[in-house]
Amino acid sequence: MKALVYNGPRDVAVSDVDDARVEKPTDVLVRITATNICGSDLHMYEGRTDFEQGRVFGHENVGEVIEVGSGIDKVAVGDMVSAPFNVSCGHCENCEHGLTNYCLVANVEGMAGGAYGFADMGGWVGGQAELLRIPWGDFQCLRLPEDAREKQNDYVMLSDIFPTGWHAVEMSGMKPGETIVIYGGGPVGLMAALSAITKGAAKVMVVDRHPDRLRLAEQIGAIAIDDSKASPVDQVMELTKGVGADRGAECVGYQAHDPQGNEDNADTLNKLVSSVRFTGGIGTVGVFVPQDPGGPDELSQQGKARFDFGNFWFKGQQMGCGQAPIKRYNRHLRNLIAADKVKPSWIVSHNMALEQAPDAYKHFDAREDGWTKVVLNPA
């Protein structure tokens, strides 16, 4: 089969690899019809992780079931399904508590949590390919409605970024009628904005400096804050009458940069602490890592950050963090899409063939204007 293979930093190619196949009775084999390029793919693409050469990217996947193992009861050939990026068994202690983001079986001993095509997440083959093997298929596969192909650009967001944005808002503790500030207007940040609006936020503020992202935020009723023009903290304070936002969401991660281009893995975290009111809550879904050899200084290389814990403690704030348990949310969000209550595909800028993926990565990695979300269509 054809698949997007990692050859080294900023070097990917569409190559022939062994076909994905049913290996166990509980497997489901899917022909991939849509797979996204994710912002977290760029950490690996840029060589900032220990992603091995020869591996296949792709953890945001939708496709048609073409074969099932003998132990599959629920999923049938012909079904269109969304696969959560969390590879999870459904039966370990964490999965039984709904923590499918930290499955105890899907990774090597001593590591919790698995994901398709992702560094240190169990070695699972990614879905930026023609075919994908989904283990524990009855548990993992979310079957999609009859409009799955028509709304494919919406449903493909269920694998990761829509539930992840929702999770950020959930962890912040936001209630209807409250205000929230979101640092990062990339795909996940925009999904957090959509989630907050859907959940009844009184005011949603999105901090970024890329005009195309800020325009997308405004299209759904969020307030765009350009941090390259003035302090985002000052702008949030002005919009909240000096109190600060009730809630905050971190949707950037460890490769955060200030407007001058200096990398600082604590930049968005510290600005969130300053932007959120006393006793407010923060949800952190941007990727942070235990070690970052490519970091700009010794502290960040050790996976540590100069976090303003004193101010955080003094303000009595709370913070939730970690990958989203996709299965906790994806069924409900699927139903919102099916009922035309939300349309997450408004962020999609490009639909491209798998063969065009290397070029798409270059544009997306460069944060070129107009390249906000790329959906690859292998089939």
Side-chain angles (χ1 to χ4, degrees):
M1 68 178 184
K2 299 289 186 182
L4 187 76
V5 174
Y6 176 72
N7 297 320
R10 292 187 167 88
D11 180 6
V12 294
V14 177
S15 305
D16 289 310
V17 301
D18 292 340
D19 283 354
R21 59 186 177 84
V22 169
E23 299 178 18
K24 295 184 177 181
T26 52
D27 287 349
V28 167
L29 185 64
V30 170
R31 177 183 291 113
I32 296 295
T33 58
T35 176
N36 297 337
I37 298 177
C38 181
S40 55
D41 287 330
L42 298 181
H43 302 306
M44 297 174 290
Y45 174 75
E46 294 169 2
R48 290 292 289 269
T49 69
D50 57 359
F51 197 73
E52 303 92 339
Q53 293 185 11
R55 285 193 62 193
V56 177
F57 283 145
H59 60 271
E60 299 186 31
N61 305 306
V62 160
E64 179 183 354
V65 176
I66 60 171
E67 186 180 349
V68 299
S70 60
I72 294 294
D73 295 320
K74 183 175 67 175
V75 181
V77 171
D79 285 347
M80 289 292 293
V81 297
S82 168
F85 83 85
N86 315 121
V87 179
S88 53
C89 72
H91 299 294
C92 71
E93 182 177 358
N94 281 350
C95 284
E96 288 185 349
H97 285 88
L99 300 172
T100 54
N101 45 339
Y102 294 108
C103 176
L104 298 172
V105 178
N107 209 328
V108 297
E109 186 176 354
M111 291 281 285
Y116 301 102
F118 212 91
D120 299 318
M121 297 298 287
W124 300 95
V125 177
Q128 289 175 11
E130 293 177 318
L131 302 171
L132 178 67
R133 171 196 169 217
I134 300 177
W136 303 293
D138 270 344
F139 178 70
Q140 290 247 78
C141 291
L142 176 71
R143 289 177 292 176
L144 301 175
E146 292 181 357
D147 61 1
R149 295 184 183 276
E150 175 190 345
K151 296 181 179 178
Q152 184 167 256
N153 279 0
D154 295 302
Y155 289 122
V156 75
M157 305 302 170
L158 293 173
S159 298
D160 180 2
I161 62 169
F162 192 10
T164 293
W166 195 276
H167 189 53
V169 178
E170 282 282 301
M171 289 194 297
S172 78
M174 194 204 83
K175 299 178 178 64
E178 291 188 325
T179 60
I180 186 170
V181 58
I182 297 161
Y183 275 77
V188 170
L190 291 170
M191 289 297 127
L194 176 63
S195 299
I197 289 167
T198 304
K199 290 165 69 70
K203 184 178 293 184
V204 177
M205 297 160 279
V206 176
V207 179
D208 206 292
R209 66 193 67 120
H210 295 277
D212 52 352
R213 296 176 173 183
L214 294 173
R215 287 194 298 269
L216 287 171
E218 290 177 328
Q219 285 179 18
I220 57 170
I223 299 169
I225 294 179
D226 188 339
D227 71 345
S228 69
K229 294 183 178 180
S231 162
V233 176
D234 291 345
Q235 293 182 70
V236 171
M237 287 299 171
E238 184 176 351
L239 288 164
T240 57
K241 299 181 180 179
V243 175
D246 296 306
R247 311 290 169 179
E250 202 289 334
C251 299
V252 180
Y254 72 104
Q255 285 186 257
H257 289 72
D258 65 22
Q260 290 72 46
N262 303 306
E263 185 174 324
D264 178 1
N265 62 358
D267 182 69
T268 49
L269 292 172
N270 291 333
K271 287 175 179 172
L272 271 164
V273 170
S274 297
S275 300
V276 172
R277 65 170 173 83
F278 280 75
T279 71
I282 298 169
T284 302
V285 293
V287 173
F288 288 84
V289 291
Q291 292 182 332
D292 176 24
D297 54 52
E298 184 177 354
L299 195 68
S300 62
Q301 289 167 11
Q302 298 173 8
K304 300 176 182 178
R306 294 178 176 84
F307 178 56
D308 191 0
F309 185 76
N311 196 26
F312 175 73
W313 185 93
F314 184 72
K315 297 180 78 172
Q317 295 172 342
Q318 296 181 341
M319 181 184 294
C321 62
Q323 293 184 346
I326 301 303
K327 282 185 64 66
R328 185 181 300 176
Y329 310 114
N330 65 353
R331 185 179 302 273
H332 305 293
L333 300 183
R334 175 201 63 186
N335 295 345
L336 289 176
I337 293 172
D340 294 320
K341 299 296 184 182
V342 292
K343 193 171 181 62
S345 64
W346 106 97
I347 69 168
V348 175
S349 57
H350 295 77
N351 279 89
M352 303 178 75
L354 181 64
E355 289 73 17
Q356 297 172 290
D359 188 53
Y361 265 89
K362 290 179 183 178
H363 292 291
F364 192 53
D365 181 51
R367 278 72 166 175
E368 292 182 12
D369 188 73
W371 287 79
T372 52
K373 188 65 172 178
V374 178
V375 179
L376 303 174
N377 301 112

